[in-house]
Amino acid sequence: MVTAKPLLSYPQLRQLIAHFPPVEDPMVAALTTQTGWQLLKENPAPNPSEAAAIATHLRKRHPANLVSSLQTQWKLRDKALEKMGSAEARNCLFTRDGLEQATRKNGAMQRAKRFAAAGVTTLMDLGCGIGADSRELARICQDFRAVDQSPAAATCAAINLAYQPGAQVLCANAEQVVTQKKLPALFVAPARRTATGRVLSPAAWSPPLGTVLEWGKRAPYLAVKIAPGIDLANLPAGYHAQWVSVAGDLVECALYSPGLAPEGAGRSALIISRGRVTQYRCASAHNPGESHVQVQAAANLGNYLFDPDPAIIRAGILPDICERLEAAPVSSGIAYLTGTTLPTSKDTSALRCYQIVENLPLKTKMVSSYLRSRQATRLDVLKRGVALDIATWRKKVMPKKQRDWTPLTITVALTRVGGAHRCLVLEDAGITSGR
């Protein structure tokens, strides 16, 4: 169990951030004043049911904008519970963007294990944000520096790393701290967003991916957090690319230089769910940029439909899964698989498994008639390869509930089978997946 450390005193806070430029985020600026910091110490994370009353009381004695900043921080700390854990989130400081982009704790721990296994003792985190990765990396390093050019992010990181011995936070541009001929181990998270939205091209990230890889030539170890949707053509030879999903959500891709990748160059998927961590290697890829191997579509539907984890799909591991299950895609270019054999425990984290109980044409009247005959009261919809708005379609096909109907949830997959649009009615296959 993690025990929350006491929040820093105001003099300790000022000592940490005195050398930073003025903070650009109004909320962080307000909460790092003496009054704001005291209010945050006294009201770190109230119960949501009591937050409004506490805020009303505080507005009688403090400026509205300060109380509003405090309320925003409460909400961010509440959202951070999933990523960082309650004890740690309670005494951390967050920005909206920083929390949204922060690595989940369980993912950061897996990355830190790679550096620890390599024996790394000196490390820089460039583009550290609020310090989610830094907190785990600093625990395994005697000499650790976290760097971010945003004064607000650097301020949050300094507070969030305050109790990590040997950790130092700098507010600087990454290019300013990589000038020496030989660099220490590096973890880099290029900024992939601007004020106008996401930046898709790795050449336009800040710093560009190509620049980061050049730094890697001067460092003994390099890890790079990149967008999970990156084009394979942009991935460098000799590196290992790993796609990570947490509870079924694809959250990142990371590049690891040879010294951090004992599995060798290529691709893998890391699936984290329900306290379990499972890694799957792409057998066919000897470099991360190699094209995915295509599997021929099934001639006929089997007894089961398999819904692969998105990390499995992105890493190009579907052919390996198909070979082990004697399964195949339901149609060309569709990631749903079908077969007659359920997975062994080795692959249960990689798939959701359903039994196919009906194969209906994707026609509104036919689906609606079927749901009425089953007296369905709720409809869960999976979809791949079909251009439909699920909410609108659900309203069209769901029957009007009658008083004597008992609650019944029907699950369907809208997809293509052999090129034709179909509605597959599914039931859980009784295999516990990782999601």
Side-chain angles (χ1 to χ4, degrees), residues 384-430:
R384 279 202 179 120
V386 174
L388 276 179
D389 179 78
I390 291 178
T392 301
W393 182 80
R394 184 187 280 112
K395 289 180 181 178
K396 290 180 179 179
V397 300
M398 277 298 287
K400 184 177 180 180
K401 182 180 178 181
Q402 304 299 312
R403 290 183 179 180
D404 59 341
W405 289 7
T406 56
L408 175 65
T409 299
I410 298 291
T411 300
V412 299
L414 311 183
T415 189
R416 297 198 307 270
V417 178
H421 288 170
R422 307 295 292 182
C423 174
L424 305 180
V425 183
L426 310 174
E427 290 182 358
D428 186 87

Side-chain angles (χ1 to χ4, degrees), residues 97 100-101 190-199 205-206:
D97 289 344
E100 182 178 345
Q101 298 166 31
R192 308 191 302 270
R193 300 187 187 190
T194 65
T196 57
R198 294 180 185 271
V199 178
W205 294 347
S206 180

Side-chain angles (χ1 to χ4, degrees), residues 11-353:
Q12 289 174 320
L13 169 67
R14 294 313 308 170
Q15 185 177 5
L16 274 180
I17 65 175
H19 57 292
F20 292 167
V23 170
E24 77 278 18
D25 186 303
M27 176 192 64
V28 175
L31 294 178
T32 52
T33 62
Q34 186 167 5
T35 302
W37 195 246
Q38 185 61 35
L39 283 180
L40 192 58
K41 287 187 69 173
E42 293 172 353
N43 306 276
N47 188 302
S49 63
E50 301 172 352
I54 293 173
T56 299
H57 173 72
L58 291 176
R59 283 195 188 92
K60 297 176 182 178
R61 296 183 293 138
H62 300 284
N65 66 323
L66 176 56
V67 178
S68 178
S69 295
L70 186 64
Q71 287 180 287
T72 299
Q73 191 61 210
W74 291 343
K75 293 176 182 177
L76 293 177
R77 286 181 169 183
D78 189 52
K79 289 182 179 179
L81 297 182
E82 178 186 354
K83 285 192 172 184
M84 301 185 69
S86 58
E88 297 188 55
R90 185 179 179 87
N91 281 342
C92 286
L93 194 68
F94 304 103
T95 64
R96 288 188 182 90
D97 289 344
L99 180 59
E100 182 178 345
Q101 298 166 31
T103 303
R104 288 166 170 81
K105 179 180 174 66
N106 44 18
M109 289 173 65
Q110 296 302 313
R111 184 165 17 253
K113 287 180 180 179
R114 287 183 179 264
F115 282 98
V120 173
T121 57
T122 302
L123 175 62
M124 284 201 298
D125 179 352
L126 304 180
C128 67
I130 61 170
D133 266 292
S134 295
R135 286 168 66 88
E136 301 305 321
L137 295 172
R139 289 187 173 113
I140 58 98
C141 268
Q142 300 171 4
D143 181 4
F144 179 81
R145 280 171 286 170
V147 182
D148 203 287
Q149 64 181 350
S150 160
T155 295
C156 290
I159 292 167
N160 299 341
L161 289 167
Y163 289 100
Q164 297 296 334
Q168 180 185 8
V169 179
L170 306 176
C171 185
N173 187 291
E175 283 84 351
Q176 296 174 300
V177 295
V178 292
T179 55
Q180 62 266 45
K181 186 176 181 180
K182 290 187 177 181
L183 296 170
L186 299 177
F187 170 59
V188 187
R192 308 191 302 270
R193 300 187 187 190
T194 65
T196 57
R198 294 180 185 271
V199 178
L200 300 180
S201 171
W205 294 347
S206 180
L209 179 58
T211 299
V212 174
L213 296 175
E214 285 298 313
W215 295 343
K217 295 177 181 178
R218 293 186 280 136
Y221 306 97
L222 172 65
V224 192
K225 181 180 177 181
I226 59 177
I230 189 169
D231 190 317
L232 295 181
N234 292 313
L235 300 179
Y239 276 70
H240 186 86
Q242 184 170 80
W243 282 259
V244 181
S245 73
V246 178
D249 293 329
L250 186 65
V251 295
E252 71 170 62
C253 179
L255 287 174
Y256 295 104
S257 64
L260 295 175
E263 59 269 74
R267 296 192 297 261
S268 66
L270 188 73
I271 299 175
I272 304 172
S273 188
R274 299 182 180 181
R276 183 179 178 184
V277 179
T278 311
Q279 180 169 323
Y280 296 87
R281 177 74 190 272
C282 178
S284 62
H286 302 292
N287 270 306
E290 294 177 10
S291 298
H292 289 185
V293 173
Q294 301 302 312
V295 181
Q296 186 174 354
N300 300 291
L301 275 180
N303 298 331
Y304 302 105
L305 183 83
F306 306 113
D307 181 11
D309 185 277
I312 293 288
I313 298 171
R314 288 288 187 179
I317 302 174
L318 285 184
D320 308 326
I321 299 293
C322 287
E323 182 177 352
R324 290 197 290 269
L325 292 182
E326 298 182 349
V330 296
S331 192
S332 178
I334 302 297
Y336 289 140
L337 309 178
T338 187
T340 59
T341 304
L342 287 172
T344 65
S345 59
K346 178 180 180 180
D347 289 325
T348 52
S349 293
L351 307 156
R352 282 180 176 169
C353 306

